[in-house]
Coordinates of all heavy atoms in Angstrom, one line a residue:
M1 N 271.8 233.8 88.1 CA 270.8 232.9 87.5 C 269.6 233.8 87.0 O 269.1 233.6 85.9 CB 270.3 231.9 88.5 CG 269.3 230.9 88.0 SD 269.2 229.5 89.0 CE 267.6 229.6 89.5
I2 N 269.3 234.7 87.8 CA 268.2 235.7 87.4 C 268.6 236.5 86.3 O 267.8 236.8 85.4 CB 267.7 236.5 88.6 CG1 267.0 235.7 89.6 CG2 266.8 237.7 88.1 CD1 266.6 236.4 90.9
S3 N 269.9 236.9 86.3 CA 270.4 237.8 85.2 C 270.4 237.0 83.8 O 270.1 237.5 82.8 CB 271.7 238.3 85.5 OG 272.7 237.2 85.6
D4 N 270.7 235.7 83.9 CA 270.6 234.9 82.6 C 269.2 234.8 82.1 O 269.0 234.9 80.9 CB 271.1 233.4 82.9 CG 272.6 233.4 83.3 OD1 273.3 234.3 83.0 OD2 273.0 232.4 83.9
Y5 N 268.3 234.6 83.0 CA 266.8 234.5 82.6 C 266.4 235.9 82.0 O 265.7 235.9 81.0 CB 265.9 234.2 83.8 CG 264.5 234.1 83.5 CD1 263.9 233.2 82.6 CD2 263.6 235.1 84.1 CE1 262.6 233.1 82.4 CE2 262.2 235.0 83.8 CZ 261.7 234.0 82.9 OH 260.4 234.0 82.7
L6 N 266.8 237.0 82.7 CA 266.5 238.3 82.1 C 267.0 238.5 80.7 O 266.4 239.2 79.9 CB 266.9 239.5 83.1 CG 266.1 239.4 84.4 CD1 266.6 240.4 85.4 CD2 264.6 239.6 84.3
C7 N 268.2 238.1 80.6 CA 268.9 238.2 79.2 C 268.1 237.4 78.2 O 268.0 237.9 77.0 CB 270.4 237.6 79.4 SG 271.3 237.8 77.8
C8 N 267.7 236.2 78.5 CA 266.9 235.4 77.7 C 265.6 236.1 77.3 O 265.2 236.1 76.1 CB 266.6 234.0 78.3 SG 267.9 232.9 78.3
L9 N 265.0 236.7 78.3 CA 263.7 237.5 78.1 C 263.9 238.6 77.0 O 263.1 238.8 76.1 CB 263.1 238.1 79.3 CG 262.6 237.1 80.4 CD1 262.2 237.8 81.6 CD2 261.5 236.3 79.8
R10 N 265.0 239.3 77.1 CA 265.3 240.4 76.1 C 265.5 239.8 74.8 O 265.0 240.3 73.8 CB 266.6 241.1 76.6 CG 266.3 242.2 77.6 CD 267.5 243.1 77.9 NE 267.7 243.0 79.4 CZ 268.7 242.4 80.0 NH1 269.7 241.8 79.3 NH2 268.8 242.5 81.3
Q11 N 266.2 238.7 74.7 CA 266.5 238.0 73.4 C 265.1 237.5 72.8 O 264.9 237.7 71.6 CB 267.5 236.9 73.5 CG 268.9 237.3 73.8 CD 269.7 236.1 74.1 OE1 269.3 235.0 74.2 NE2 271.0 236.4 74.1
W12 N 264.3 236.9 73.6 CA 263.0 236.4 73.1 C 262.1 237.5 72.6 O 261.4 237.3 71.6 CB 262.3 235.6 74.2 CG 263.0 234.3 74.7 CD1 264.0 233.7 74.1 CD2 262.8 233.6 75.8 NE1 264.4 232.6 74.8 CE2 263.7 232.5 75.9 CE3 261.9 233.8 76.9 CZ2 263.6 231.6 77.0 CZ3 261.9 232.9 78.0 CH2 262.8 231.8 78.0
K13 N 262.2 238.6 73.3 CA 261.3 239.7 72.9 C 261.6 240.2 71.5 O 260.7 240.5 70.7 CB 261.4 240.9 73.9 CG 260.5 242.1 73.6 CD 260.7 243.1 74.6 CE 259.9 244.4 74.2 NZ 260.2 245.5 75.1
E14 N 262.9 240.1 71.2 CA 263.3 240.6 69.8 C 263.2 239.4 68.8 O 262.7 239.6 67.7 CB 264.7 241.1 69.8 CG 264.9 242.4 70.6 CD 266.4 242.8 70.8 OE1 267.2 242.3 70.0 OE2 266.6 243.6 71.6
Q15 N 263.7 238.2 69.2 CA 263.8 237.1 68.3 C 262.4 236.6 67.9 O 262.2 236.1 66.8 CB 264.6 236.0 68.9 CG 264.9 234.8 68.1 CD 265.8 233.8 68.7 OE1 266.3 234.1 69.8 NE2 266.0 232.7 68.0
Y16 N 261.4 236.5 68.9 CA 260.2 235.9 68.6 C 259.0 236.8 68.4 O 257.9 236.5 68.5 CB 259.9 234.9 69.7 CG 260.8 233.7 69.7 CD1 261.7 233.7 70.9 CD2 260.8 232.8 68.8 CE1 262.7 232.6 70.9 CE2 261.8 231.8 68.8 CZ 262.7 231.6 69.9 OH 263.6 230.7 70.0
A17 N 259.4 238.1 68.2 CA 258.2 239.1 67.9 C 257.5 238.8 66.6 O 258.2 238.3 65.7 CB 258.9 240.5 67.8
P18 N 256.2 238.9 66.6 CA 255.5 238.6 65.4 C 256.0 239.5 64.2 O 256.3 240.7 64.4 CB 254.0 239.0 65.7 CG 254.0 239.2 67.2 CD 255.4 239.4 67.7
Q19 N 256.1 239.0 63.0 CA 256.6 239.6 61.9 C 255.6 240.5 61.2 O 255.9 241.5 60.6 CB 257.1 238.6 60.8 CG 258.3 237.7 61.3 CD 259.4 238.5 61.7 OE1 259.9 239.5 61.1 NE2 260.1 238.1 62.9
E20 N 254.4 240.2 61.4 CA 253.2 241.0 60.9 C 252.3 241.4 62.0 O 252.2 240.7 63.1 CB 252.4 240.2 59.9 CG 253.2 239.7 58.7 CD 252.5 238.7 57.8 OE1 251.3 238.6 58.0 OE2 253.1 238.2 57.0
P21 N 251.6 242.5 62.0 CA 250.7 242.9 63.1 C 249.7 241.9 63.4 O 249.3 241.7 64.6 CB 250.0 244.2 62.5 CG 250.9 244.7 61.4 CD 251.6 243.5 60.8
D22 N 249.2 241.2 62.4 CA 248.2 240.1 62.7 C 248.8 238.7 63.0 O 248.1 237.7 63.1 CB 247.2 240.0 61.5 CG 246.5 241.3 61.3 OD1 246.5 242.2 62.1 OD2 245.8 241.4 60.2
G23 N 250.1 238.6 63.0 CA 250.8 237.4 63.1 C 250.6 236.7 64.4 O 250.1 237.3 65.5
E24 N 250.9 235.4 64.5 CA 250.7 234.6 65.7 C 251.8 234.9 66.7 O 252.9 235.1 66.3 CB 250.7 233.1 65.4 CG 250.4 232.2 66.5 CD 250.3 230.7 66.1 OE1 249.9 230.5 64.9 OE2 250.7 229.9 66.9
W25 N 251.4 235.0 67.9 CA 252.5 235.3 69.0 C 253.1 234.1 69.5 O 252.4 233.1 70.0 CB 251.8 236.1 70.1 CG 251.5 237.5 69.8 CD1 251.2 238.1 68.5 CD2 251.3 238.6 70.7 NE1 251.0 239.4 68.6 CE2 251.1 239.7 69.9 CE3 251.5 238.7 72.0 CZ2 250.8 241.0 70.5 CZ3 251.3 239.9 72.6 CH2 251.0 241.1 71.9
N26 N 254.4 233.9 69.5 CA 255.1 232.9 70.0 C 255.0 232.9 71.6 O 255.1 234.0 72.2 CB 256.6 233.0 69.6 CG 257.5 231.8 70.0 OD1 257.5 231.5 71.2 ND2 258.0 231.2 69.0
P27 N 254.9 231.8 72.2 CA 254.8 231.8 73.7 C 255.9 232.4 74.4 O 255.8 233.0 75.5 CB 254.7 230.3 74.1 CG 254.1 229.6 72.8 CD 254.6 230.4 71.7
L28 N 257.1 232.3 73.8 CA 258.3 232.9 74.4 C 258.3 234.4 74.3 O 258.7 235.1 75.2 CB 259.6 232.4 73.7 CG 259.9 230.9 74.0 CD1 261.1 230.5 73.2 CD2 260.0 230.6 75.4
F29 N 257.7 234.9 73.2 CA 257.5 236.4 73.1 C 256.5 236.9 74.1 O 256.7 237.9 74.8 CB 257.0 236.7 71.7 CG 256.7 238.1 71.5 CD1 257.7 239.1 71.4 CD2 255.3 238.5 71.4 CE1 257.3 240.4 71.2 CE2 255.0 239.9 71.3 CZ 256.0 240.9 71.1
C30 N 255.4 236.1 74.4 CA 254.4 236.5 75.4 C 255.1 236.5 76.8 O 254.8 237.3 77.5 CB 253.2 235.5 75.3 SG 252.3 235.5 73.8
E31 N 255.9 235.5 77.0 CA 256.6 235.4 78.4 C 257.4 236.6 78.6 O 257.5 237.2 79.6 CB 257.3 234.1 78.5 CG 258.0 233.9 79.8 CD 258.6 232.6 80.1 OE1 258.4 231.7 79.3 OE2 259.3 232.5 81.1
A32 N 258.2 236.9 77.5 CA 259.1 238.1 77.6 C 258.3 239.4 77.9 O 258.7 240.3 78.7 CB 259.8 238.3 76.3
L33 N 257.1 239.6 77.3 CA 256.3 240.8 77.6 C 255.8 240.7 79.1 O 255.8 241.7 79.7 CB 255.2 240.9 76.6 CG 255.5 241.1 75.2 CD1 254.3 241.2 74.3 CD2 256.4 242.5 75.0
E34 N 255.3 239.5 79.5 CA 254.8 239.4 80.8 C 255.8 239.6 81.9 O 255.6 240.1 83.0 CB 254.1 238.0 81.0 CG 252.9 237.8 80.1 CD 252.5 236.3 80.2 OE1 253.1 235.5 80.8 OE2 251.4 236.1 79.5
K35 N 257.0 239.2 81.6 CA 258.0 239.2 82.7 C 258.9 240.5 82.6 O 259.8 240.7 83.4 CB 259.0 238.1 82.6 CG 258.4 236.7 82.6 CD 257.7 236.5 83.9 CE 257.0 235.0 83.9 NZ 256.4 234.6 85.0
K36 N 258.6 241.4 81.8 CA 259.3 242.7 81.6 C 259.3 243.4 82.9 O 260.3 244.0 83.4 CB 258.8 243.6 80.5 CG 259.6 244.8 80.3 CD 259.2 245.5 79.2 CE 260.1 246.7 79.0 NZ 259.7 247.6 77.8
I37 N 258.2 243.4 83.7 CA 258.1 244.1 84.9 C 258.9 243.5 85.9 O 259.5 244.2 86.7 CB 256.6 244.1 85.4 CG1 256.4 245.0 86.6 CG2 256.1 242.7 85.8 CD1 256.6 246.4 86.3
L38 N 259.2 242.2 85.8 CA 260.2 241.5 86.7 C 261.5 242.1 86.6 O 262.3 242.3 87.5 CB 260.2 240.0 86.5 CG 261.3 239.2 87.2 CD1 261.0 239.2 88.7 CD2 261.4 237.8 86.6
S39 N 262.0 242.3 85.3 CA 263.2 243.0 85.1 C 263.3 244.3 85.7 O 264.3 244.7 86.3 CB 263.4 243.1 83.6 OG 264.6 243.8 83.3
V40 N 262.3 245.1 85.6 CA 262.4 246.5 86.2 C 262.4 246.4 87.7 O 263.2 247.1 88.4 CB 261.1 247.2 85.8 CG1 261.0 248.5 86.5 CG2 261.1 247.5 84.3
I41 N 261.7 245.4 88.4 CA 261.7 245.3 89.8 C 263.0 244.9 90.2 O 263.6 245.4 91.3 CB 260.5 244.4 90.3 CG1 259.2 245.1 90.0 CG2 260.7 244.0 91.7 CD1 258.0 244.1 90.2
V42 N 263.6 243.8 89.7 CA 264.9 243.3 90.1 C 266.0 244.4 89.9 O 266.7 244.6 90.9 CB 265.2 242.0 89.2 CG1 266.7 241.7 89.4 CG2 264.3 240.9 89.6
T43 N 266.0 245.1 88.9 CA 266.9 246.2 88.8 C 266.8 247.2 89.8 O 267.8 247.6 90.3 CB 266.8 246.8 87.3 OG1 267.0 245.8 86.3 CG2 267.8 247.9 87.1
W44 N 265.6 247.6 90.1 CA 265.4 248.6 91.1 C 265.9 248.1 92.5 O 266.5 248.8 93.2 CB 263.9 248.9 91.2 CG 263.6 250.0 92.3 CD1 263.8 251.3 92.1 CD2 263.2 249.9 93.6 NE1 263.5 252.0 93.2 CE2 263.1 251.1 94.2 CE3 262.9 248.7 94.3 CZ2 262.7 251.3 95.5 CZ3 262.5 248.9 95.6 CH2 262.4 250.2 96.2
V45 N 265.5 246.9 92.9 CA 265.8 246.3 94.1 C 267.4 246.2 94.2 O 268.0 246.6 95.3 CB 265.2 244.9 94.4 CG1 265.8 244.2 95.6 CG2 263.6 245.1 94.6
V46 N 268.0 245.7 93.3 CA 269.5 245.5 93.3 C 270.1 246.9 93.5 O 271.1 247.1 94.3 CB 270.0 244.7 92.1 CG1 271.5 244.8 91.9 CG2 269.6 243.3 92.2
T47 N 269.7 247.8 92.7 CA 270.3 249.2 92.8 C 270.1 249.8 94.2 O 271.0 250.4 94.8 CB 269.6 250.1 91.7 OG1 269.8 249.5 90.5 CG2 270.2 251.5 91.8
W48 N 268.9 249.7 94.7 CA 268.5 250.2 96.1 C 269.4 249.5 97.1 O 270.1 250.2 98.0 CB 267.1 249.9 96.4 CG 266.8 250.6 97.7 CD1 266.4 251.9 97.9 CD2 266.7 249.9 98.9 NE1 266.2 252.1 99.3 CE2 266.4 250.9 99.9 CE3 266.9 248.6 99.4 CZ2 266.2 250.5 101.3 CZ3 266.8 248.3 100.7 CH2 266.5 249.2 101.7
V49 N 269.6 248.2 97.0 CA 270.4 247.5 98.1 C 271.8 247.9 98.0 O 272.5 248.1 99.0 CB 270.2 245.9 97.9 CG1 271.2 245.2 98.7 CG2 268.8 245.5 98.3
L50 N 272.4 247.9 96.8 CA 273.8 248.3 96.6 C 274.0 249.7 97.1 O 275.0 250.0 97.8 CB 274.2 248.1 95.2 CG 274.4 246.7 94.7 CD1 274.7 246.7 93.2 CD2 275.4 245.9 95.5
T51 N 273.2 250.6 96.9 CA 273.2 252.0 97.3 C 273.2 252.1 98.8 O 274.0 252.8 99.4 CB 272.1 252.8 96.7 OG1 272.2 252.8 95.3 CG2 272.2 254.3 97.1
W52 N 272.3 251.3 99.4 CA 272.2 251.3 100.9 C 273.5 250.7 101.5 O 274.0 251.3 102.5 CB 271.0 250.4 101.3 CG 270.8 250.4 102.8 CD1 270.1 251.4 103.5 CD2 271.3 249.5 103.7 NE1 270.2 251.1 104.8 CE2 270.9 249.9 105.0 CE3 272.0 248.3 103.5 CZ2 271.2 249.2 106.1 CZ3 272.4 247.6 104.7 CH2 271.9 248.0 106.0
V53 N 274.0 249.6 100.9 CA 275.2 249.0 101.5 C 276.4 250.0 101.4 O 277.1 250.1 102.3 CB 275.5 247.7 100.8 CG1 276.9 247.2 101.2 CG2 274.5 246.7 101.2
V54 N 276.6 250.6 100.2 CA 277.7 251.5 100.1 C 277.6 252.7 101.0 O 278.6 253.1 101.6 CB 277.8 251.9 98.6 CG1 278.8 253.1 98.4 CG2 278.2 250.7 97.7
T55 N 276.4 253.2 101.1 CA 276.2 254.4 102.0 C 276.5 254.0 103.5 O 277.1 254.7 104.2 CB 274.7 254.8 101.9 OG1 274.4 255.2 100.5 CG2 274.5 256.0 102.8
W56 N 276.0 252.8 103.9 CA 276.3 252.4 105.3 C 277.7 252.1 105.5 O 278.3 252.6 106.6 CB 275.5 251.0 105.5 CG 275.7 250.6 106.9 CD1 275.1 251.0 108.0 CD2 276.7 249.6 107.4 NE1 275.6 250.4 109.1 CE2 276.6 249.5 108.8 CE3 277.7 248.9 106.7 CZ2 277.4 248.7 109.5 CZ3 278.5 248.0 107.4 CH2 278.4 248.0 108.9
V57 N 278.5 251.5 104.6 CA 279.8 251.2 104.8 C 280.6 252.5 104.9 O 281.5 252.7 105.8 CB 280.4 250.4 103.6 CG1 281.9 250.4 103.6 CG2 279.9 249.0 103.6
F58 N 280.4 253.5 104.1 CA 281.1 254.7 104.1 C 280.7 255.7 105.3 O 281.4 256.5 105.7 CB 281.1 255.5 102.8 CG 282.0 254.8 101.7 CD1 281.4 254.3 100.7 CD2 283.3 254.8 101.9 CE1 282.2 253.6 99.7 CE2 284.1 254.2 101.0 CZ 283.5 253.6 99.9
S59 N 279.5 255.5 105.7 CA 279.0 256.4 106.8 C 279.2 255.8 108.2 O 279.4 256.5 109.2 CB 277.6 256.9 106.6 OG 276.7 255.7 106.8
C60 N 279.0 254.5 108.4 CA 279.0 253.8 109.7 C 280.2 252.9 109.9 O 280.4 252.5 111.0 CB 277.7 253.1 109.9 SG 276.2 254.1 109.8
G61 N 280.8 252.5 108.9 CA 281.8 251.5 109.0 C 283.1 252.0 109.7 O 283.2 253.2 109.8
P62 N 283.9 251.1 110.1 CA 285.2 251.6 110.8 C 286.1 252.4 109.8 O 286.1 252.0 108.6 CB 285.9 250.4 111.3 CG 285.3 249.3 110.4 CD 283.9 249.7 110.1
T63 N 286.7 253.4 110.3 CA 287.7 254.1 109.4 C 289.0 253.5 109.7 O 289.4 253.2 110.9 CB 287.7 255.5 109.6 OG1 287.9 255.8 111.0 CG2 286.3 256.1 109.2
F64 N 289.9 253.4 108.7 CA 291.2 252.9 108.9 C 292.2 254.0 108.7 O 292.1 254.8 107.8 CB 291.5 251.7 108.0 CG 290.6 250.5 108.1 CD1 289.5 250.4 107.5 CD2 291.0 249.6 109.1 CE1 288.6 249.2 107.7 CE2 290.1 248.5 109.3 CZ 289.1 248.4 108.6
S65 N 293.3 254.0 109.5 CA 294.4 254.9 109.3 C 295.7 254.0 109.2 O 295.8 253.0 109.9 CB 294.5 255.9 110.4 OG 294.7 255.2 111.6
M66 N 296.6 254.4 108.4 CA 297.8 253.7 108.3 C 299.0 254.5 108.7 O 299.0 255.7 108.3 CB 298.0 253.1 106.9 CG 296.8 252.2 106.5 SD 297.0 251.4 104.9 CE 298.1 250.1 105.3
A67 N 299.9 254.0 109.4 CA 301.1 254.7 109.7 C 302.4 253.8 109.4 O 302.3 252.6 109.4 CB 301.0 255.1 111.2
T68 N 303.4 254.5 109.4 CA 304.7 253.7 109.2 C 305.4 253.6 110.5 O 305.7 254.5 111.2 CB 305.6 254.4 108.1 OG1 304.9 254.6 107.0 CG2 306.8 253.6 107.9
G69 N 305.8 252.4 110.8 CA 306.5 252.1 112.0 C 308.0 252.5 112.0 O 308.4 253.0 110.9
A70 N 308.7 252.4 113.1 CA 310.1 252.8 113.2 C 310.9 252.1 112.1 O 311.9 252.6 111.6 CB 310.6 252.6 114.6
N71 N 310.6 250.8 111.8 CA 311.4 250.0 111.0 C 310.9 250.0 109.5 O 311.4 249.2 108.7 CB 311.5 248.6 111.5 CG 310.2 247.8 111.6 OD1 309.2 248.5 111.3 ND2 310.2 246.6 112.0
G72 N 310.0 250.9 109.2 CA 309.5 251.0 107.8 C 308.2 250.2 107.6 O 307.8 250.2 106.4
T73 N 307.8 249.3 108.5 CA 306.7 248.5 108.3 C 305.4 249.3 108.4 O 305.4 250.3 109.1 CB 306.6 247.3 109.2 OG1 306.5 247.9 110.6 CG2 307.8 246.4 109.2
I74 N 304.4 248.9 107.7 CA 303.0 249.6 107.8 C 302.3 249.1 109.0 O 302.1 247.9 109.2 CB 302.3 249.4 106.5 CG1 303.1 250.1 105.4 CG2 300.9 250.0 106.6 CD1 302.4 250.0 104.0
V75 N 301.7 250.0 109.8 CA 300.9 249.7 110.9 C 299.5 250.2 110.6 O 299.3 251.3 110.3 CB 301.5 250.3 112.2 CG1 300.6 250.0 113.4 CG2 303.0 249.9 112.4
R76 N 298.6 249.3 110.9 CA 297.2 249.7 110.5 C 296.4 249.7 111.9 O 296.3 248.7 112.5 CB 296.5 248.8 109.5 CG 295.1 249.3 109.1 CD 294.6 248.3 108.1 NE 294.0 247.2 108.8 CZ 293.3 246.3 108.2 NH1 293.0 246.3 107.0 NH2 292.8 245.2 109.0
N77 N 295.7 250.8 112.1 CA 294.8 250.8 113.3 C 293.4 251.4 112.9 O 293.4 252.2 111.9 CB 295.4 251.8 114.3 CG 296.6 251.3 114.9 OD1 296.7 250.0 115.3 ND2 297.7 252.1 115.1
T78 N 292.4 251.0 113.6 CA 291.1 251.6 113.3 C 290.9 252.7 114.3 O 291.3 252.6 115.4 CB 290.0 250.6 113.4 OG1 289.9 250.1 114.7 CG2 290.2 249.4 112.5
S79 N 290.1 253.7 113.9 CA 289.8 254.8 114.8 C 289.0 254.3 116.0 O 289.1 254.9 117.0 CB 289.0 255.9 114.0 OG 287.8 255.3 113.5
S80 N 288.2 253.3 115.8 CA 287.4 252.8 117.0 C 288.3 252.2 118.1 O 288.1 252.5 119.3 CB 286.3 251.8 116.6 OG 286.9 250.7 116.0
S81 N 289.3 251.5 117.7 CA 290.2 250.9 118.7 C 291.1 252.0 119.3 O 291.4 251.9 120.5 CB 291.0 249.8 118.1 OG 291.9 250.3 117.1
I82 N 291.5 253.0 118.5 CA 292.3 254.1 119.0 C 291.5 255.0 120.0 O 292.0 255.3 121.1 CB 292.8 255.0 117.9 CG1 293.8 254.1 117.1 CG2 293.6 256.2 118.4 CD1 294.2 254.8 115.8
N83 N 290.3 255.3 119.7 CA 289.5 256.2 120.5 C 288.9 255.5 121.7 O 288.8 256.2 122.8 CB 288.3 256.8 119.6 CG 288.9 257.7 118.5 OD1 290.0 258.3 118.6 ND2 288.1 257.8 117.5
S84 N 288.5 254.3 121.6 CA 287.8 253.7 122.7 C 288.6 252.7 123.5 O 288.2 252.3 124.6 CB 286.5 253.1 122.2 OG 286.8 252.0 121.4
G85 N 289.7 252.3 123.0 CA 290.5 251.3 123.6 C 289.9 249.9 123.4 O 290.4 248.9 124.0
V86 N 288.9 249.7 122.7 CA 288.3 248.5 122.4 C 288.7 248.0 121.0 O 288.6 248.8 120.1 CB 286.7 248.6 122.5 CG1 286.0 247.3 122.2 CG2 286.3 249.1 123.8
P87 N 289.1 246.7 120.9 CA 289.5 246.2 119.5 C 288.2 246.3 118.6 O 287.1 246.2 119.0 CB 289.9 244.8 119.8 CG 289.6 244.5 121.2 CD 289.2 245.7 121.9
P88 N 288.5 246.5 117.3 CA 287.4 246.5 116.3 C 286.7 245.2 116.2 O 287.3 244.2 116.5 CB 288.0 246.9 115.0 CG 289.5 246.5 115.2 CD 289.8 246.6 116.7
E89 N 285.4 245.2 115.8 CA 284.7 244.0 115.6 C 285.0 243.2 114.4 O 285.4 243.8 113.5 CB 283.2 244.3 115.6 CG 282.7 244.9 116.8 CD 281.2 245.3 116.7 OE1 280.5 244.9 115.7 OE2 280.7 246.0 117.6

């Protein structure tokens, strides 16, 4: 929903820009200029959150190992359950 709004803001900035330097400003053009900072903030926050989540998953999350059983089936175990004897969360 926010991404749709930000897309509209980009379109309004181009579509409703005054044609002449002294021209009248369309309210949608004004809103696009005012909300540009919102676009920057949202992009920064989303990027930061995704970076944090990916970093956490790869550094703290359980690691998986796969092995082939005697009958050729794939057996999956987590290192936490192998090392501690406790099933993974």
